[in-house]
Amino acid sequence: MRSIQDALYNWLTIKTVAEARPDDEAAKETYALFADMLFHEHGVTETKLEKYEEMYMVYYTAHGLEKTARFPSELIDCYVEQMEREPQKFQNYK
């Protein structure tokens, strides 16, 4: 993944899915994959997340520098909301 912004977006999206579906092994594995990508490809060593009504704020350290990224809540939360609206389409196969 080329951009750290894209990697953080994907990481945050699957993090919200994995937290909403704690029994979903695929979500956990995908979350671990993106966390590993952040570390190995982008040098991210720490993350802190804050959620506000309209925005997710991701505070992170990459290559020793503290940085911030923000993402609109509606872009991140839409995946979990869709899974809740249509659970038959998102079965958890264990």
Side-chain angles (χ1 to χ4, degrees):
M1 193 156 296
R2 296 189 188 271
S3 116
I4 192 165
Q5 188 79 7
D6 288 344
L8 286 166
Y9 170 80
N10 289 321
W11 168 82
L12 178 56
T13 301
I14 194 60
K15 177 177 175 41
T16 60
V17 170
E19 289 175 352
R21 296 172 50 114
D23 294 335
D24 188 332
E25 291 300 319
K28 287 181 193 176
E29 290 173 12
T30 305
Y31 172 68
L33 173 73
F34 281 108
D36 188 62
M37 217 181 287
L38 283 176
F39 178 75
H40 286 98
E41 293 182 21
H42 300 285
V44 174
T45 55
E46 295 180 38
T47 58
K48 179 184 172 195
L49 181 63
E50 292 180 1
K51 182 180 180 188
Y52 299 96
E53 186 173 326
E54 295 183 10
M55 195 71 55
Y56 280 90
M57 299 295 293
V58 180
Y59 303 95
Y60 63 99
T61 303
H63 303 291
L65 300 172
E66 293 181 7
K67 299 182 179 191
T68 304
R70 60 186 186 168
F71 301 92
S73 297
E74 64 186 36
L75 289 179
I76 303 301
D77 295 337
C78 70
Y79 294 98
V80 172
E81 290 168 2
Q82 184 177 0
M83 295 172 107
E84 290 171 351
R85 267 193 323 271
E86 302 176 272
Q88 71 281 3
K89 292 184 180 179
F90 302 96
Q91 294 182 25
N92 185 3
Y93 298 100
K94 295 180 184 184

